[in-house]
């Protein structure tokens, strides 16, 4: 996944980096099972026109393309789409989601994964995406909530645990410095509602990973790709080596960051205001998004 920014946001990783291909492969290994389960439940089907933004290795783009078939179509939009394989019903576009021309009232589904938390102007982007949906179309966003720092459950030793904590603090500090909102995923339903979407749903997904599996190997990959800014924030080379050792050790156990996937639907024309849809005809009670 590559995101361009204008202004204070800057995506912290690069598809062109030596670790770029490995990073995207690991992200797919962590998230694809959850993403395809959600997309399968919402009924992606033949003939749909879909937009996949920040598609990384293109695995979800291709999953959607198989579902929509030859009568459907998927546009895959990324600043650097070098890792996305092409297919007959897929158009790969190079561009910035904030400035790329998007057809109005066009898509049955727009999917964005690990994208919006990185953008300071995410609310403006969401409004652009809503305008590109057909009435009745669906926006699906998935982002990590990285506000919890206690993801490491068991390390090989105390030195590895301390090194991992220092690595996490520095890594998340880099993301925040570059404009990421580490807790936005929990608040995503509020942003979707503010943009006019209805029928909101959110589900949270997480699991425990032993050392040597995808979520922990992602920390290893990140430790190489962001080595210089991590060192600039006070992490030492010795600590980075301890993190890599721990994340490769099968005895290590760490949770991934929880994935919040939120879904909203663009209302059909003349649909009633959801604020007046309770049985008594008065304003519906607001529900707190978790």
């Amino acid at each position: 996944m590559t995101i361009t920014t204008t202004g204070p946001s800057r995506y912290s990783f690069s598809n062109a980096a030596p670790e770029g291909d490995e990073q995207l492969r690991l992200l797919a290994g962590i998230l694809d099972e959850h993403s395809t389960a959600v997309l399968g439940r919402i009924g992606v089907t033949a003939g749909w026109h879909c937009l996949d933004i920040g598609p990384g290795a293109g695995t979800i783009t291709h999953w959607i393309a198989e579902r929509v078939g030859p009568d459907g179509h998927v546009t895959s939009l990324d600043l650097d789409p070098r890792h996305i394989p092409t297919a007959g019903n897929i158009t790969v576009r190079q561009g910035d989601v904030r400035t790329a021309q998007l057809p109005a009232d066009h898509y049955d589904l727009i999917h964005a994964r690990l994208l919006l938390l990185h953008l300071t102007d995410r609310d403006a982007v969401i409004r652009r995406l809503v305008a590109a949906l057909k009435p009745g179309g669906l926006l699906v966003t998935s982002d990590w909530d990285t506000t919890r720092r206690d993801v490491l459950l068991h390390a090989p030793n105390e030195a590895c645990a301390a090194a991992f904590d220092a690595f996490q603090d520095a890594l998340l500090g880099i993301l925040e410095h570059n404009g990421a909102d580490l807790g936005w995923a929990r608040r995503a339903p509020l942003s979707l509602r503010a943009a006019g979407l209805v029928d909101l749903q959110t589900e949270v997904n997480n699991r425990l990973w032993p050392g040597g599996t995808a979520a922990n190997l992602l920390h290893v990959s990140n430790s190489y790709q962001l080595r210089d800014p991590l060192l600039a924030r006070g992490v030492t080379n010795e600590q980075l080596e301890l993190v890599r050792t721990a994340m490769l050790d099968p005895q290590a156990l760490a949770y991934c960051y929880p994935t919040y996937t939120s879904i909203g639907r663009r209302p059909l024309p003349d649909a009633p205001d959801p604020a007046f849809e309770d049985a008594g005809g008065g304003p519906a009670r607001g529900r707190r998004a978790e």
Side-chain angles (χ1 to χ4, degrees), residues 57-76 81-93:
T59 51
I60 296 302
T61 292
H62 278 259
W63 185 91
I64 296 171
E66 291 178 2
R67 286 296 187 101
V68 302
D71 294 328
H73 192 270
V74 185
T75 298
S76 193
R82 69 180 65 200
H83 299 293
I84 305 169
T86 58
N89 62 344
I90 295 174
T91 297
V92 178
R93 287 183 59 189

Side-chain angles (χ1 to χ4, degrees), residues 26-264:
L26 292 170
L27 288 170
I30 297 164
L31 292 167
D32 277 6
E33 182 178 359
H34 166 67
S35 294
T36 56
V38 171
L39 294 171
R41 285 197 296 273
I42 67 175
V44 178
T45 193
W48 276 22
H49 289 259
C50 306
L51 175 63
D52 191 18
I53 308 168
T59 51
I60 296 302
T61 292
H62 278 259
W63 185 91
I64 296 171
E66 291 178 2
R67 286 296 187 101
V68 302
D71 294 328
H73 192 270
V74 185
T75 298
S76 193
L77 178 65
D78 201 300
L79 177 65
D80 183 356
R82 69 180 65 200
H83 299 293
I84 305 169
T86 58
N89 62 344
I90 295 174
T91 297
V92 178
R93 287 183 59 189
Q94 183 174 13
D96 183 338
V97 65
R98 297 177 309 166
T99 58
Q101 288 192 340
L102 302 176
D105 308 324
H106 182 75
Y107 296 107
D108 298 283
L109 167 72
I110 297 177
H111 175 257
R113 190 172 78 181
L114 297 188
L115 168 76
L116 292 167
L117 83 156
H118 294 284
L119 302 179
T120 56
D121 47 359
R122 64 189 63 83
D123 289 332
V125 170
I126 290 171
R127 290 192 295 270
R128 296 192 81 227
L129 300 181
V130 170
L133 286 171
K134 294 177 180 177
L138 295 166
L139 174 61
V140 178
T141 70
S142 291
D143 282 291
W144 279 335
D145 181 335
T146 60
T147 55
R148 291 288 298 269
R149 305 294 175 102
D150 57 343
V151 295
L152 182 61
L153 181 64
H154 176 75
N157 54 60
E158 291 186 5
C160 285
F164 185 82
D165 288 344
F167 164 73
Q168 283 293 292
D169 286 343
L171 172 65
L172 299 178
I174 291 167
L175 298 184
E176 284 189 304
H177 177 75
N178 289 339
D181 183 339
L182 305 184
W184 178 79
R186 293 183 70 255
R187 304 191 305 276
L190 301 179
S191 293
L192 300 191
R193 185 173 67 182
L197 297 181
V198 298
D199 300 332
L200 298 175
Q201 306 172 47
T202 294
E203 67 176 73
V204 185
N205 182 264
N206 201 2
R207 56 172 283 197
L208 188 67
W209 297 79
T213 57
N216 291 333
L217 292 176
L218 181 65
H219 295 304
V220 177
S221 176
N222 290 344
S223 78
Y224 286 111
Q225 187 170 167
L226 295 182
R227 175 183 175 274
D228 289 344
L230 287 166
L231 293 175
R233 285 185 168 262
V235 181
T236 66
N237 278 311
E238 292 75 16
Q239 286 175 316
L240 292 179
E241 285 302 320
L242 285 170
V243 168
R244 294 161 189 158
T245 297
M247 294 297 96
L248 293 169
D249 188 330
Q251 297 303 309
L253 295 171
Y255 291 100
C256 191
Y257 308 117
T259 304
Y260 282 72
T261 294
S262 294
I263 305 166

